Amino acid sequence: MAQTKFDTQLEDGLEQGAVAFGRFVSGAPLDGEPRPPDSLPRWGIALLRLVFLAWVGWAAWMWWWIQDHDRVIRVSIGAAAVAAPVIAIAAIRGRGRRRHMRSLALPMALAMKDMLPAWDDHQRLRALTIPLDRSFVKIQLPDGWHGQDGHKDMLRELVQDRMGGQWSGEWNLKSYPFSVVFTPQKPRPKLEPPETVDFFDTVVQQAISQCKPGQLLLGIDERHKPVVKEMTGETAMWALSVGSGGGKSSFLQMIITQLIGQGATVVGIDVKMASIICFEGVPGVHLYTDPGNVGDMRSAIKWVAREVEARNYVKKKDPKKNFDRLTLILEEGNEFGDASKAYWNDTKEKGDPASDPIWGDIASVMRMGRHVNVTIIGVFQDLREAAVGSRGLRNMFRLILMGNYNANQWKMIVNTTPVPESIDRAGRMMIIEGNRRIWIQVPYADQDAFREYSLKLRQERGYSTEDLYGTPPSASPQRLPSLLQESTPLLTKEAAPALEAADVEDGGAVTNLVKDEDAEPGDPEFDEDLDELADEEDEEESAAELLTLAEISRRLAEEGIEVSAELMRQHKRRRADFPSGEAVDGKDLFTFEAVAGYYRPRTAD
C-alpha cells in the first residue's frame, strides 16, 4: 500500500514530538542550542520539568474530574507566588549568561571555522565551553583531528586574542572524547633588587671576604644574592655608561675599597674632583683630580702604559711571574677626553699627530695589560666611540654596567631589542656581559666611612711596591682658578698702555729689597736678606732652565697671567721681538724669564 503525503507528515510530526518530549523530560535545551554557562545542571532542569508536568496533570484531574475548582485556584496562586521570584531572579542572572554567549562564546565558535573545518557552526558552538569567570576554555575536538597545518597554534592564538594575556593548552588527542583545555599562565612575580644596600651589611661583607684575588663584589641582584665578577681574562676591562645621579661615585668608592683590601695600586683620574677624592692620602692610591693640570693626568696614564711594557718584558723572561694588581680609574671619561684633546691642541709641536695620542697609551694598556694584572675601569655618561678616541676601544670593555640610560644609548652600546626600561634610581645598574643581563643595586656608604675603612685595610694587610718598576708622577700643586686669582690684567705690547708703578704705601705689590750694610750675621734683617738672595739665585737657576711653551704657559698661569701656548706660538711666528729659543731634539725651548718678561706688565719709568 503506497504511503500518502498525510502519512509522511504524520510520521514526521510524531517523530518531532517524541524528540521534543525527550528533550523536555531529559533537561536538554528545547531549541538544541548549548546551555548557557553556570546554568542549572541538566538533571535539575529535568526535575523541574517533571514537577511542572505533575502539577499540570494534577490540576487537570482536579479541575475536570473532581470539579474542585477552588482548590486548583488556591494551589495555583500559591505556586505562582513562590515561583515568580525564582523566575525573576533566574531571568536577571540569565541576562549575564546570555550576554556572555552573544559577546564571547558565539563569536569565538564562528572564528574556529578554519581550525575545525569538519564541524558546522552548531557543532562548534556545542563543543566550546567558557565559564562566566573565564577561568578556562574547553574545546571538544573532532575524531581524527591532530592539529595539522598549524591549527594548534591558531587555536591558542585565537584564545589569547579573545581572552587576553598568555594561555597554555593541555591537549588530549589519545583517548575519547578528544579535547583541549586552555588555562591562563600565571604571571611570574617581578623580581627587583633591594632599594638600598649598606656596604657594611653582613651579607655584603661576607661575600667580599669570600672573594678570591681578582674577584670583586658589584652589588645585590634581583634575588637578593651577591653578584661577584672577576676582573681578569676577557672581563679585565670594565666600563660604566651611567647618567647623572646614577650612582657612579658610590660604585667607584666601593670598588676602590675592595681593590685596596686586595693590595692593589690604584691610579685615579677624576676631572670632577668629587667622586674619589676621599681616598686622598691612602697608601697606594694616586689621584689626579685637578682639571687645571690635565698634563699630570696624561703623565699618569703614560706611566701606567710604561708599567705594562715593563711587566710584559719581565713576564716574557719569567712566565710564572704574578704581579700585584694595578688599576687605572678613568672617571668622567667624556669630560677627560674633551680636556685632553684641548690640552694636546694647545701643546703639540709642529710635526706632531693631529689626534690626541693619549688614547694610544690607553689602548696599549687595554690590549697588553690584562696578562700582567693591569686593568682599567672607565666611567662615562655616554659611552660613544668618539668618547674613547675613536680607536675601537669600546668593544674591548667586555663587562659594561648601564644605568639611567635612554633608548638611543642602549641601541648604540648593546643594540638589542626590545630596549629594557631604565630604572631611575641611584645605584640601580644593569650588568651586561655578553648576552647576560643582571640588574643590581650597588652597596653604598659615606665617603668618610670608605676612607677610614681603606686606611684600616692598608694598616692590617700592608702594601707593597715590589711589582712597580717606576714611580707614579707627582701631582702638581692645584692651580687657583683664574676668577679667584688677584692679579694684574694681562697687557701685551700691542694692546696695553704703560702701567703706572705701584705704590707700596697704597698697598702695591712691588717692593724693593732694603739692604743694611751694617747688618751682621744673626740679625733678623741680615738673615732675611740672605733668604731673599737665595730666592733670587733659585729664580735665576729656574730662569736658565729650558722649557716648552706649554710649561711656560702653565707657570705664567700660576702668576695670574693667562696666555695659552698656542698664542705664544703665533707670537713667535709673527713677531720679530719675541724671545729667541734653542732647538733641542727638534723642539724649540725657551727660558722662563725671557718669555715671562715678554708678557709681564711693564711699569712706567
Side-chain angles (χ1 to χ4, degrees), residues 23-29 35 39-53 86:
R23 287 179 175 173
F24 184 85
V25 298
S26 64
R35 290 185 298 108
S39 60
L40 287 175
R42 190 167 179 174
W43 63 267
I45 296 176
L47 179 61
L48 289 177
R49 290 175 178 177
L50 291 175
V51 170
F52 176 76
L53 285 179
V86 176

Side-chain angles (χ1 to χ4, degrees), residues 32 42 48 101 195 354 434 464 514 574 601:
R42 190 167 179 174
L48 289 177
M101 290 293 293
E195 292 188 3
S464 173
V514 179
R574 299 174 183 176

Side-chain angles (χ1 to χ4, degrees), residues 108-137:
M108 188 179 294
L110 294 175
M112 293 190 300
K113 180 177 181 181
D114 294 336
M115 287 78 87
L116 303 175
W119 280 350
D120 57 23
D121 294 343
H122 182 74
Q123 289 174 313
R124 287 191 293 271
L125 182 60
R126 291 174 61 87
L128 180 63
T129 302
I130 306 176
L132 284 176
D133 60 3
R134 302 190 178 195
S135 58
F136 67 89
V137 176

Side-chain angles (χ1 to χ4, degrees), residues 32-161:
E33 297 293 332
R35 290 185 298 108
D38 291 349
S39 60
L40 287 175
R42 190 167 179 174
W43 63 267
I45 296 176
L47 179 61
L48 289 177
R49 290 175 178 177
L50 291 175
V51 170
F52 176 76
L53 285 179
W55 176 81
V56 170
W58 174 83
W61 181 69
M62 292 295 293
W63 186 273
W64 284 289
W65 185 259
I66 304 299
Q67 298 292 322
D68 191 352
H69 297 168
D70 294 340
R71 187 175 182 182
V72 172
I73 293 173
R74 289 195 303 270
V75 172
S76 298
I77 293 174
V82 174
V86 176
I87 295 173
I89 294 173
I92 294 173
R93 294 187 59 186
R95 182 171 56 183
R97 299 187 183 97
R98 291 189 294 274
R99 186 183 301 112
H100 177 81
M101 290 293 293
R102 290 193 302 268
S103 63
L104 181 62
L106 182 59
M108 188 179 294
L110 294 175
M112 293 190 300
K113 180 177 181 181
D114 294 336
M115 287 78 87
L116 303 175
W119 280 350
D120 57 23
D121 294 343
H122 182 74
Q123 289 174 313
R124 287 191 293 271
L125 182 60
R126 291 174 61 87
L128 180 63
T129 302
I130 306 176
L132 284 176
D133 60 3
R134 302 190 178 195
S135 58
F136 67 89
V137 176
K138 183 177 181 180
I139 304 174
Q140 299 289 341
L141 301 173
D143 295 347
W145 190 92
H146 296 290
Q148 58 273 19
D149 299 329
H151 289 169
K152 276 187 176 183
D153 294 335
M154 294 171 65
L155 272 179
R156 180 177 55 82
E157 292 174 0
L158 174 64
V159 171
Q160 291 183 162
D161 291 341

Side-chain angles (χ1 to χ4, degrees), residues 57 76 151 338 347 355 447 507 604:
S76 298
H151 289 169
D338 294 339
T347 58
S355 59
Q447 293 189 19

Side-chain angles (χ1 to χ4, degrees), residues 425-559:
R425 181 177 299 161
R428 185 62 55 86
M429 300 181 188
M430 177 185 286
I431 301 175
I432 302 170
E433 183 182 3
N435 294 324
R436 298 188 63 190
R437 312 283 188 268
I438 304 174
W439 279 106
I440 64 168
Q441 183 67 31
V442 175
Y444 171 81
D446 187 73
Q447 293 189 19
D448 293 336
F450 277 126
R451 174 181 173 80
E452 293 177 4
Y453 189 64
S454 298
L455 290 171
K456 179 181 177 182
L457 289 174
R458 282 293 198 226
Q459 184 178 6
E460 293 177 351
R461 304 181 184 182
Y463 170 67
S464 173
T465 59
E466 180 181 354
D467 290 336
L468 297 182
Y469 299 98
T471 303
S474 300
S476 302
Q478 185 170 358
R479 202 182 80 188
L480 192 65
S482 59
L483 293 180
L484 301 179
Q485 296 174 359
E486 295 181 2
S487 60
T488 304
L490 175 62
L491 301 177
T492 62
K493 292 182 177 180
E494 299 174 350
L499 182 67
E500 295 184 359
D503 188 355
V504 177
E505 295 181 355
D506 294 337
V510 180
T511 61
N512 295 323
L513 177 62
V514 179
K515 299 183 180 180
D516 188 354
E517 297 179 355
D518 297 332
E520 296 181 358
D523 293 341
E525 293 183 1
F526 184 81
D527 293 340
E528 183 179 352
D529 294 342
L530 289 180
D531 293 338
E532 293 180 1
L533 289 174
D535 293 339
E536 290 179 357
E537 293 177 357
D538 293 340
E539 291 177 359
E540 291 176 359
E541 293 178 0
S542 176
E545 183 183 2
L546 294 177
L547 304 171
T548 63
L549 291 178
E551 178 61 22
I552 294 175
S553 173
R554 187 183 69 81
R555 296 190 182 186
L556 281 175
E558 294 178 355
E559 296 184 6

